[in-house]
Amino acid sequence: MNIQQQLGLRIQQLRKDRKLSQEKFALLIDMDRTYFASVEAGKRNISIVNIQKIAAGLGVSLSELFYNL
């Protein structure tokens, strides 16, 4: 599994822990839902700006988001 896939699974896990759908979370962080879905699927080489946006939306630091990846 590559780093994009690992990060996608980590984001998905944290989002589901907060009981948010992809659509609701994408709206919350002002990101297109299809783009966000491809991030979770590990199909995007996402920018650090968007990673920070996701971390903030999940209420975690960048280090927490990348923990154990």
Side-chain angles (χ1 to χ4, degrees):
M1 188 177 317
N2 67 36
I3 188 69
Q4 290 168 218
Q5 292 167 325
Q6 290 175 37
L7 179 60
L9 287 176
R10 175 77 170 144
I11 291 168
Q12 183 180 63
Q13 173 192 17
L14 292 169
R15 176 184 56 78
K16 286 182 175 183
D17 287 349
R18 286 150 182 78
K19 298 182 179 13
L20 292 168
S21 68
Q22 280 185 342
E23 185 172 1
K24 285 183 182 179
F25 185 72
L27 284 171
L28 175 74
I29 63 170
D30 193 31
M31 187 176 283
D32 181 77
R33 189 206 57 81
T34 57
Y35 177 84
F36 180 72
S38 66
V39 170
E40 278 195 351
K43 296 180 179 179
R44 291 276 177 173
N45 189 8
I46 186 171
S47 72
I48 191 69
V49 172
N50 284 333
I51 292 170
Q52 175 58 45
K53 189 186 282 193
I54 290 169
L58 293 168
V60 299
S61 67
L62 289 174
S63 61
E64 289 175 288
L65 187 61
F66 283 94
Y67 184 73
N68 277 339
L69 291 188

